[in-house]
Amino acid sequence: MDDLETRELRYFTAVAETLHFGRAAERLGIAQPPLSRAIAQLERRLGVQLLDRNRRGVALTEAGRVLLRESRLALAAVAAAARRTRRAGDSQLVLVTKAGASHALLQRLLNAPAAPPVEILLCEVGEQAGLLRDGSADVAIMHHPYDDLAGFDTEELQVEGQVAILPAAHPLAAREALTLAEVSDVPDLPIARWPRLDGSYPDGPGPEVRTQSKLAQLVALGRTLLVIPASSRAWQWPEHVAVPVFDAPAVTTMLAWPSTSRSPKVAAFVRAAVTLRAAA
């Protein structure tokens, strides 16, 4: 059997996601008859039925569900390969980091003498891994144990404690230090809930947050508090106060990049980061 073509995968994915040949054809910018023929030909080549077609519409078979999952992965890999290839001739490296995270460390990395030119891509919580995998970025600043490091090579840059960011007017803001138990059970100030690695949120009364701007305003309005690495306080507002949480687990700031990378730019940047760490 011939290898599958990306065109076939795109056609099938459009039909599988819309479960409608007309809407899929409109999404793809083609007529419906050639799309129907292409899917039928794909089924013949694979020797399996991918779609159940009846008067009520279109449904995926078990084989169709498998191909949809695999098609999404394959198309994402092809798109990532194209992005990395286009950037291969560019001397500039793309580094992704959460907005406001590890600001002082980031500044030192950008000023490292041996580092290649760097373009900064700022993102929200938990987005670095996806941007590395889809080829939008070459390297990332990430934080263990909070970020998804699966499939990446890493270098440890620093280990630090955490602080609670509180509304300045709250009584706890006057404390010199707090415990996790104290910040986890404040009746009038529920702790903010960050997304897990799978995108779901833990149970609790606090607001679900993903963006720094939303979080900063909710703290300033006295609606929530949060616990973050001490170096991530760059976005702190005048209405906020940071108090050390002495028993919070240490957070390790990592430089991460795809384990398959052979980019000289990435290698040069990692070497500069390691030299910087050794000199600290």
Side-chain angles (χ1 to χ4, degrees):
M1 185 187 73
D2 295 335
D3 292 337
L4 294 175
E5 300 177 1
T6 55
R7 175 185 60 84
E8 293 176 306
L9 297 181
R10 286 192 294 105
Y11 283 11
F12 172 74
T13 300
V15 175
E17 289 181 343
T18 61
L19 295 178
H20 192 283
F21 278 88
R23 288 193 292 269
E26 184 177 352
R27 178 200 290 189
L28 294 165
I30 63 174
Q32 183 174 333
L35 174 60
S36 298
R37 289 195 295 271
I39 298 300
Q41 181 181 2
L42 178 61
E43 289 178 316
R44 287 194 297 273
R45 288 179 60 211
L46 291 174
V48 293
Q49 185 177 353
L50 300 171
L51 301 167
D52 282 325
R53 306 161 178 84
N54 54 51
R55 293 180 179 178
R56 290 175 295 181
V58 178
L60 287 170
T61 65
E62 179 58 30
R65 285 189 285 272
V66 170
L67 185 58
L68 176 59
R69 181 175 65 249
E70 297 297 333
S71 294
R72 286 168 170 165
L73 293 172
L75 291 172
V78 169
R83 293 188 190 98
R84 295 188 182 106
T85 301
R86 282 193 294 266
R87 253 199 341 272
D90 189 348
S91 62
Q92 197 168 53
L93 173 142
V94 178
L95 181 147
V96 62
T97 182
K98 290 192 291 284
S102 306
H103 180 74
L105 172 62
L106 176 60
Q107 192 64 61
R108 293 199 303 273
L109 286 171
L110 297 179
N111 293 333
V118 175
E119 175 187 343
I120 300 298
L121 177 60
L122 297 177
C123 69
E124 296 295 349
V125 174
E127 294 180 346
Q128 304 99 302
L131 292 167
L132 279 184
R133 292 186 180 115
D134 73 10
S136 297
D138 300 300
V139 295
I141 293 178
M142 302 175 78
H143 298 87
H144 176 75
Y146 298 118
D147 290 323
D148 178 10
L149 297 170
F152 302 128
D153 286 339
T154 60
E155 280 288 346
E156 182 180 308
L157 298 179
Q158 66 180 20
V159 179
E160 61 184 319
Q162 300 194 68
V163 296
I165 305 295
L166 301 147
H170 195 276
L172 289 180
R175 296 276 296 276
E176 293 186 1
L178 293 164
T179 67
L180 277 176
E182 288 173 321
V183 298
S184 299
D185 187 22
V186 184
D188 60 334
L189 202 64
I191 192 167
R193 290 181 290 145
W194 298 95
R196 300 185 182 99
L197 294 182
D198 63 2
S200 66
Y201 286 86
D203 294 333
E208 296 180 355
V209 295
R210 185 178 292 273
T211 67
Q212 300 281 20
S213 57
K214 175 181 178 180
L215 184 56
Q217 188 154 17
L218 286 173
V219 174
L221 291 171
R223 300 304 176 93
T224 191
L225 64 84
L226 72 151
V227 177
I228 58 172
S231 65
S232 297
R233 294 169 49 190
W235 57 267
Q236 186 176 334
W237 289 14
E239 294 92 339
H240 301 164
V241 168
V243 180
V245 181
F246 70 83
D247 62 343
V251 175
T252 304
T253 302
M254 317 285 288
L255 189 65
W257 63 96
S259 58
T260 56
S261 175
R262 300 296 181 268
S263 167
K265 294 178 296 186
V266 171
F269 191 77
V270 172
R271 286 194 299 271
V274 171
T275 300
L276 188 68
R277 179 190 63 195

